[in-house]
Amino acid sequence: MLAYGPGGQRLNGSRTQIRRTLAPEMLAATQKSGYPYRLQVDVPVIARYLRVGVRDNLSNRVGVVELPLPLAAQPGGAQ
């Protein structure tokens, strides 16, 4: 995960590795609706984009999403 500033410069980043074997029934559910994972990130206030990448070691598939910042607040102040 990387945070980028207004000029496109990298501000900070982190790397997390999840090692988990899924039971067949959980694998089927995950393939339908995704893998739920919550990650808290400290991003500098001046950050304008957050880029998140995921790599599946078994299939060697990679996915990346870039989120514009700041993110909208969730209703009710939920985080």
Side-chain angles (χ1 to χ4, degrees), residues 19-59:
R19 292 180 183 257
R20 184 164 182 200
T21 302
L22 300 177
E25 61 276 2
M26 181 146 181
L27 178 60
T30 299
Q31 289 173 329
K32 287 182 182 178
S33 60
Y35 184 81
Y37 185 76
R38 184 179 179 131
L39 180 66
Q40 287 188 301
V41 182
D42 289 324
V43 178
V45 173
I46 64 168
R48 294 296 169 251
Y49 291 93
L50 182 64
R51 185 175 294 153
V52 181
V54 177
R55 177 174 167 243
D56 180 343
N57 289 334
L58 293 178
S59 67

Side-chain angles (χ1 to χ4, degrees), residues 1-5 9-15 39 41-44 47-53 64-67 69:
M1 185 167 337
L2 300 167
Y4 292 88
Q9 75 278 22
R10 192 168 100 177
L11 300 174
N12 71 0
S14 66
R15 180 178 178 171
L39 180 66
V41 182
D42 289 324
V43 178
R48 294 296 169 251
Y49 291 93
L50 182 64
R51 185 175 294 153
V52 181
V64 178
V65 64
E66 191 169 271
L67 306 167
L69 297 176

Side-chain angles (χ1 to χ4, degrees), residues 38 40 71-79:
R38 184 179 179 131
Q40 287 188 301
L71 297 175
Q74 292 184 5
Q79 295 185 17

